[in-house]
Amino acid sequence: MKTLWAIAKKDIMHVVKDKTALLLMIAVPLAVITVIGLAFSSLFNANSGQLTISVALSDQDNATVGKAIKQALNIHTKDLDITITTYPNAERVRQQVEASNESVGIVIPTGASEAINKGASQAIPSDKRVQFYTLPNNSSDARVNVIRMIVDKVLQTQLISNESVRQVYQVCNQPGNHCAPNTINGPAISGAVIQATNATENALQPVSAGKAPEINTFDQVIPGYAIFFALFGLNSVAATILQEKESGTFRRLLIAPIHKYALLGGKLLAQFVVTLVQIGIIFAIGYFVFHMHVPDWPALILLLFGTSFAATGLGILIVSLVRSRRQINPVVTLVTLVTSALGGSWWPLYMEPEWMRNVARVGITAWAMEGLNNSMLFGKSFMEVLPNIIALFVYGLICFLIALRFFRFQEKTAAA
Amino acid sequence: MQESLAQQQERSHPARSTSIEVQKLQKKFGKHEAVKEVSFTIATGEIFGLLGPNGAGKSTTINMMCGYIQPDSGDTTINGISVAHNSRQAKRQLGVVPQEMALYTDLTAIENLDFFGEIYGIPVRERRERAEDLLRLVGLYERRKEAIRNFSGGMQRRINIAIALMHRPSFLMMDEPTVGVDPQSREHIFTTIEQLRSEGTTILYTTHYMEEAERLCDRIAIMDEGQIIAMGTLEELLALRDHTQELRRPHGLQELFIQLTGKTLRD
């Protein structure tokens, strides 16, 4: 154990002596975090949830349907903001949609209200139908779907109310039925039906469960990029070991009476400490400067310990599998970029499809980011992120054991 | 024929008090037999020269003797301790001065010595004293706090030797310790080696410089193609010369070496 610590201490001393490298180790991630954090500051903020939609409208009918649609589209809330621009004819509306100046186009032709008032029992001629313009194949566009839903509801309500009045008249006019003259108030029946269809909020009680995520952009960007740069640190783990092999100091250590596990363990311990300090400083700056949320300190600290341990174990594993310094860079770059993209370093993990989240568990980043997102964004308890903490430590340990098995302590020595 | 000659010479020199015993070391790399049943003994306090052209098997022999690589067969005992069976204990007895500068160049001279002392479990105060003593021995005490990367080749060679002595080994293996150093540093290294001998340290010395072997070594073994082809004191080896040719010191060993190993260039 003393030997292990001696090797670790020596490696840490090497890092500390290179003051410029030490500064860059912190400054580079912070510069990237600041730029990315500010650039995407609106992406995760509460205000960013507002959906803004522009609608091109041409009301040639100038009657009840047009009025109802315009009234229904008059929405300006923090979640939804609809802007209506009116145009004199259908062609102008079509052009605006085609040029993507407007999200959706609506044309209400002359006679549309009259045709709809005749009720759903009669087919509405095509030249009297409300026209709904969109770009082709954009059924997944949320803006189109929102406007379509609103217009559908308006037309549905109109049709239902007119049909209701007609049904009342039909019942009264059936043989044997008697309704006193002038007692059927069509507009009143129609208005009551419209009011009833618009009153669904009285029948539906929205109830919130859990806690709404409080997302500061830096809550995502700081952990993501701290882990991303920690993974790039795999380069230095691998490089120091290969450098020792090349310079002959590794052989000198192997000739000394020490265990092989102490030799690799010392390297692992040193890099673990360096990675932990790097991530720790970045998180500390994130907390004090960028006001990152830390609802559960023990969970966060253990997640950072686990991440540093797993990253270092992976570094030792990589160096046990590569044969030269030239191979390290491409391998580390591949591992870092792929696991960062999959594992949620650059965007929240929950935005990815489920299959991708499952694939991402091959890397460290997914385990770390899931734990950090759950703790920092969703306010989950220590016990709920404990599986991620355990997974990270197990990940590092497995990497270390595989590395011990495959590490080439002695290079093939030619006769000399 | 040549091997039996070496064995015969080995038998004619019963060790005073045997410190090192190399028994039938053998190593193959693929189909290439790098070392073929090499055996010899080194007496306590003796400087034993191991000479040979490139690719003769010297370094492989040394690597097997110090436990860095496993022999296919055979063993080395250091003061009766088997390297094969009791590796860690045997390693405590030996120090190795590698051919390459196996140093941490970003660390200072004293930090290098301190680190290797710690690896051997020497207590803090003791290793600080030893490091300072060794730095005086190799003439670098005044520059102990300088990073090794600022040292000349000769100075680095001297630190290389000092590191191998930190744990006071009874057996020191020096693999071409004077390669690329100036005459002053070389002379200093010779003085250090002679002082170590006077203190009773057993030394295995490999070199390509025949005059070094002539000056320092009590006995010399010449290796070629993985086996020892001649072994004995300098006088005994010179007696093996081809008597049709005139050999005179100080070039006698050089000429004998060429006679025995030939003039063909090696890898």
Side-chain angles (χ1 to χ4, degrees):
Chain A
M1 200 63 193
K2 280 183 180 174
T3 320
L4 190 146
W5 174 238
I7 292 167
K9 203 170 60 175
K10 181 262 302 169
D11 277 11
I12 291 168
M13 207 190 296
H14 263 108
V15 176
V16 172
K17 277 183 180 258
D18 193 343
K19 299 276 189 299
T20 313
L22 204 61
L23 183 71
L24 289 173
M25 221 171 75
I26 305 298
V28 171
L30 279 177
V32 174
I33 284 167
T34 308
V35 171
I36 304 276
L38 294 175
F40 290 95
S41 57
S42 63
L43 192 64
F44 305 110
N45 287 345
N47 289 339
S48 67
Q50 191 187 49
L51 189 63
T52 54
I53 311 173
S54 57
V55 178
L57 182 80
S58 177
D59 184 6
Q60 295 153 12
D61 186 40
N62 207 15
T64 53
V65 170
K67 280 178 192 165
I69 288 175
K70 277 188 258 185
Q71 196 179 351
L73 291 176
N74 185 22
I75 299 174
H76 303 280
T77 66
K78 72 180 175 67
D79 298 321
L80 182 61
D81 184 45
I82 300 174
T83 311
I84 302 168
T85 312
T86 52
Y87 293 93
N89 54 53
E91 183 54 21
R92 290 287 307 279
V93 168
R94 194 191 61 76
Q95 284 169 357
Q96 292 301 314
V97 173
E98 189 179 302
S100 295
N101 294 332
E102 309 281 359
S103 311
V104 171
I106 299 168
V107 175
I108 304 160
T110 308
S113 298
E114 192 186 339
I116 287 167
N117 286 339
K118 284 182 181 168
S121 55
Q122 292 181 28
I124 299 171
S126 61
D127 62 335
K128 300 279 189 268
R129 290 178 191 171
V130 174
Q131 291 159 14
F132 193 81
Y133 286 86
T134 65
L135 287 171
N137 303 322
N138 64 346
S139 57
S140 60
D141 187 336
R143 295 168 305 174
V144 172
N145 291 331
V146 165
I147 301 299
R148 176 71 191 259
M149 208 169 65
I150 292 169
V151 173
D152 272 354
K153 192 180 172 189
V154 169
L155 296 177
Q156 197 179 30
T157 306
Q158 294 283 325
L159 290 167
I160 289 171
S161 63
N162 293 331
E163 188 59 29
S164 303
V165 174
R166 199 179 347 274
Q167 285 297 324
V168 171
Y169 277 115
Q170 248 180 21
V171 170
C172 285
N173 291 334
Q174 275 178 7
N177 287 344
H178 174 73
C179 297
N182 302 324
T183 55
I184 299 172
N185 186 345
I189 295 168
S190 180
V193 171
I194 289 171
Q195 200 177 359
T197 55
N198 285 334
T200 49
E201 59 265 28
N202 293 333
L204 185 72
Q205 175 69 51
V207 182
S208 40
K211 193 179 167 187
E214 289 176 18
I215 304 178
N216 164 358
T217 312
F218 289 100
D219 292 350
Q220 162 63 28
V221 174
I222 288 171
Y225 281 87
I227 293 166
F228 173 67
F229 280 99
L231 287 178
F232 261 123
L234 300 180
N235 259 326
S236 68
V237 189
T240 55
I241 293 176
L242 290 180
Q243 190 184 351
E244 285 222 33
K245 280 188 167 186
E246 286 163 11
S247 71
T249 48
F250 204 78
R251 175 173 173 255
R252 195 158 213 166
L253 291 173
L254 284 169
I255 290 167
I258 59 173
H259 290 293
K260 286 176 180 175
Y261 78 82
L263 186 47
L264 272 196
K267 294 268 167 208
L268 184 126
L269 180 59
Q271 192 57 37
F272 167 72
V273 171
V274 170
T275 308
L276 187 62
V277 169
Q278 183 193 25
I279 296 182
I281 291 174
I282 292 169
F283 269 75
I285 293 172
Y287 181 72
F288 290 111
V289 179
F290 298 113
H291 309 294
M292 197 176 71
H293 294 108
V294 183
D296 189 339
W297 281 100
L300 175 69
I301 290 167
L302 282 176
L303 279 165
L304 297 190
F305 269 76
T307 304
S308 304
F309 183 72
T312 312
L314 183 62
I316 303 267
L317 175 62
I318 288 174
V319 80
S320 73
L321 300 176
V322 300
R323 287 176 185 272
S324 72
R325 278 215 249 187
R326 277 198 296 273
Q327 292 176 10
I328 293 176
N329 249 326
V331 172
V332 170
T333 305
L334 179 74
V335 169
T336 304
L337 294 183
V338 171
T339 58
S340 296
L342 282 175
S345 264
W346 301 330
W347 43 76
L349 197 59
Y350 61 78
M351 286 173 74
E352 294 178 11
E354 194 179 348
W355 68 267
M356 196 182 259
R357 275 182 275 162
N358 290 331
V359 172
R361 287 178 194 280
V362 175
I364 294 167
T365 314
W367 292 103
M369 286 308 295
E370 187 182 67
L372 289 164
N373 281 171
N374 281 344
S375 177
M376 294 167 66
L377 301 182
F378 303 115
K380 291 199 175 173
S381 69
F382 180 85
M383 291 309 289
E384 286 171 302
V385 296
L386 188 60
N388 294 84
I389 295 168
I390 294 170
L392 286 165
F393 279 104
V394 170
Y395 195 108
L397 189 65
I398 290 171
C399 285
F400 182 67
L401 293 175
I402 297 172
L404 263 182
R405 168 72 183 80
F406 289 104
F407 192 84
R408 280 180 293 276
F409 284 93
Q410 287 121 16
E411 295 303 322
K412 195 175 176 183
T413 312
Chain B
M1 177 66 186
Q2 283 171 324
E3 190 179 7
S4 63
L5 179 63
Q7 285 168 343
Q8 195 181 350
Q9 286 160 343
E10 173 67 6
R11 278 197 300 276
S12 70
H13 278 275
R16 289 166 278 180
S17 141
T18 302
S19 169
I20 312 301
E21 193 169 353
V22 176
Q23 301 153 335
K24 294 188 175 179
L25 281 181
Q26 194 173 13
K27 184 72 187 176
K28 275 186 180 177
F29 293 108
K31 288 180 179 173
H32 174 64
E33 203 170 358
V35 176
K36 303 168 186 170
E37 294 202 350
V38 165
S39 299
F40 57 87
T41 59
I42 310 174
T44 304
E46 188 179 26
I47 299 184
F48 185 86
L50 188 61
L51 311 183
N54 291 335
K58 300 188 302 293
S59 292
T60 307
T61 303
I62 288 176
N63 281 335
M64 287 190 285
M65 288 176 72
C66 67
Y68 179 64
I69 56 176
Q70 287 283 104
D72 295 335
S73 62
D75 193 8
T76 302
T77 56
I78 302 168
N79 297 324
I81 302 163
S82 160
V83 173
H85 299 107
N86 202 346
S87 170
R88 292 189 72 204
Q89 209 180 331
K91 283 176 172 181
R92 291 198 171 277
Q93 307 279 321
L94 69 90
V96 178
V97 181
Q99 200 179 108
E100 66 276 12
M101 307 284 196
L103 305 168
Y104 296 107
T105 53
D106 290 337
L107 303 186
T108 65
I110 201 146
E111 283 168 349
N112 267 278
L113 289 166
D114 187 70
F115 167 66
F116 282 102
E118 196 174 358
I119 287 293
Y120 280 87
I122 303 165
V124 182
R125 183 179 289 181
E126 199 179 332
R127 68 174 185 258
R128 182 51 59 104
E129 284 170 8
R130 278 194 205 180
E132 290 182 355
D133 288 347
L134 284 168
L135 285 166
R136 284 191 191 93
L137 178 73
V138 298
L140 290 168
Y141 180 76
E142 301 303 323
R143 303 188 68 171
R144 65 191 181 284
K145 290 181 182 170
E146 273 186 48
I148 296 279
R149 65 170 176 272
N150 298 328
F151 284 12
S152 68
M155 289 157 76
Q156 291 192 6
R157 284 275 168 210
R158 276 139 63 194
I159 290 290
N160 219 17
I161 294 171
I163 286 172
L165 297 171
M166 261 304 279
H167 60 291
R168 293 188 179 151
S170 59
F171 175 41
L172 186 63
M173 301 164 92
M174 306 182 86
D175 193 2
E176 301 184 34
T178 59
V179 171
V181 303
D182 61 21
Q184 286 79 9
S185 277
R186 180 179 291 191
E187 193 56 37
H188 197 285
I189 290 170
F190 290 165
T191 311
T192 306
I193 292 169
E194 281 159 353
Q195 189 178 333
L196 290 169
R197 173 176 31 200
S198 69
E199 290 167 0
T201 306
T202 307
I203 298 171
L204 175 81
Y205 193 93
T206 78
T207 180
H208 285 301
Y209 303 119
M210 297 300 143
E211 71 277 14
E212 287 186 7
E214 288 183 13
R215 173 175 168 176
L216 294 170
C217 299
D218 299 311
R219 283 193 307 139
I220 295 164
I222 298 176
M223 274 190 89
D224 196 19
E225 294 179 351
Q227 53 195 343
I228 292 176
I229 56 172
M231 182 158 54
T233 63
L234 181 63
E235 297 304 326
E236 286 169 340
L237 290 179
L238 291 177
L240 294 172
R241 73 187 191 275
D242 180 348
H243 290 280
T244 60
Q245 293 181 28
E246 191 66 24
L247 296 176
R248 290 188 188 283
R249 295 180 80 169
H251 304 296
L253 187 59
Q254 169 84 15
E255 289 179 30
L256 174 72
F257 184 85
I258 296 293
Q259 256 185 31
L260 292 174
T261 58
K263 290 187 177 177
T264 312
L265 290 174
R266 308 302 175 91
D267 294 331

